[in-house]
Amino acid sequence: MVNRADIGVIGGSGLYSLLDDAQEVELTTPYGPPSDVITVGRIGARSVAFLPRHGRDHRHPPHRIPYRANLWALRSLGVRQVLAPSAVGSLKAEHGPGAIVVPDQLVDRTSGRVQTYYDAGGAVHVSFADPYCPTGRAVAVSAARSGGWDIVDGGTLVVIEGPRFSTRAESQWFARNGWTIVGMTGFPEAVLARELALCYTSLSLVTDHDAGVEAGEGVTHEEVLRFFATNVTKMRSLVADAVEALPKERTCACGSALDGIKLPFDLP
Ligand SMILES: [Zn+2]
């Protein structure tokens, strides 16, 4: 098969121009089609599959993204390591717009999203104590540090259902719990990756302070958009650096997530 890739990137559409020798692959899965056509190409010596999380025309809101189809499609192309850039709000006054957080923990505050592949044919309980790939995290942190980013190594991403933003009270509650950033797409993406024994690493770009962070500057939506646009180029090189630094052979435990478990179907 020609269109194969080792590394998957799920992110915003500003990241397309990352790939050399790019080809579009249209495919479907037992869970329907993924968010959009997948672009397979190269970054340096690595083969990469790029999938725009919301679709190219941004047609999927966070709570309607076909998460199961997305991860399944990537795995079926050969992907075993996934990098997931996304925009987040900060719950900490000291981490403002422009910071990159590579979280090591996650809190699920979504509701009503299908969050498993294993809803028939027997129980499959994967370990999710550490939701992110330790190797991918180390690579991302080091790439961001070399790129001169304001980097936060570790922290807790709380994923809300959306599409609305948090209330001030919710946001203050999240902050009081010691959580670091808030987003709308990091779950169930992370757990579905684990259920397919994929490595998954979040690269969370802070675009604003969440509602309850009083020391925040209270940026407007326009400012957030402008901010994101000016950071796309920088984000693109960060993702490219991280892709090239990922190990060719996995030594982390992510690939063994399903060892000893009887699965109701074969993985792609
Ligand atoms: Zn891993």
Side-chain angles (χ1 to χ4, degrees):
M1 196 170 158
V2 188
N3 294 314
R4 301 286 292 175
D6 302 325
I7 297 164
V9 176
I10 308 176
S13 34
L15 298 168
Y16 274 111
S17 50
L18 272 172
L19 300 178
D20 297 321
D21 302 332
Q23 289 191 55
E24 292 185 349
V25 184
E26 198 165 350
L27 73 178
T28 192
T29 74
Y31 309 95
S35 289
D36 211 324
V37 166
I38 297 180
T39 309
V40 178
R42 282 187 306 100
I43 295 176
R46 311 305 298 274
S47 55
V48 178
F50 176 76
L51 175 58
R53 185 184 280 117
H54 296 277
R56 291 179 189 205
D57 53 1
H58 226 83
R59 67 181 172 278
H60 307 292
H63 61 297
R64 306 286 292 168
I65 289 169
Y67 292 102
R68 288 200 295 183
N70 287 353
L71 276 305
W72 189 275
L74 288 175
R75 184 170 166 115
S76 69
L77 290 170
V79 165
R80 294 296 179 268
Q81 302 179 83
V82 176
L83 294 177
S86 72
V88 295
S90 174
L91 295 164
K92 305 262 189 200
E94 66 270 32
H95 306 322
I100 288 277
V101 182
V102 182
D104 61 354
Q105 277 300 321
L106 180 155
V107 171
D108 170 27
R109 290 281 305 157
T110 66
S111 54
R113 300 184 185 184
V114 179
Q115 53 170 282
T116 182
Y117 290 102
Y118 306 111
D119 50 8
V124 172
H125 303 290
V126 294
S127 166
F128 201 48
D130 295 301
Y132 300 107
C133 172
T135 307
R137 285 196 64 259
V139 162
V141 166
S142 148
R145 208 162 260 151
S146 313
W149 289 86
D150 171 15
I151 170 77
V152 184
D153 179 0
T156 298
L157 165 65
V158 52
V159 185
I160 60 173
E161 175 66 11
R164 68 168 179 84
F165 290 114
S166 313
T167 65
R168 215 170 280 283
E170 288 166 341
S171 184
Q172 286 164 352
W173 175 54
F174 299 159
R176 272 200 309 277
N177 282 328
W179 302 338
T180 316
I181 45 176
V182 53
M184 295 181 191
T185 60
F187 193 88
E189 213 169 79
V191 72
L192 293 171
R194 178 62 53 83
E195 284 197 345
L196 296 181
L198 304 174
C199 297
Y200 181 89
T201 304
S202 163
L203 284 159
S204 295
L205 172 65
V206 174
T207 57
D208 60 298
H209 279 110
D210 207 44
V213 183
E214 282 160 335
E217 298 152 346
V219 290
T220 66
H221 185 60
E222 274 178 357
E223 281 170 328
V224 169
L225 291 180
R226 198 161 51 235
F227 173 81
F228 203 69
T230 56
N231 275 273
V232 161
T233 315
K234 219 177 141 194
M235 195 67 184
R236 204 182 286 150
S237 41
L238 170 59
V239 170
D241 291 347
V243 160
E244 295 204 70
L246 283 171
K248 291 209 169 61
E249 300 293 331
R250 296 195 290 172
T251 52
C252 51
C254 311
S256 318
L258 301 167
D259 287 5
I261 301 178
K262 188 174 174 299
L263 301 180
F265 46 76
D266 291 332
L267 299 184

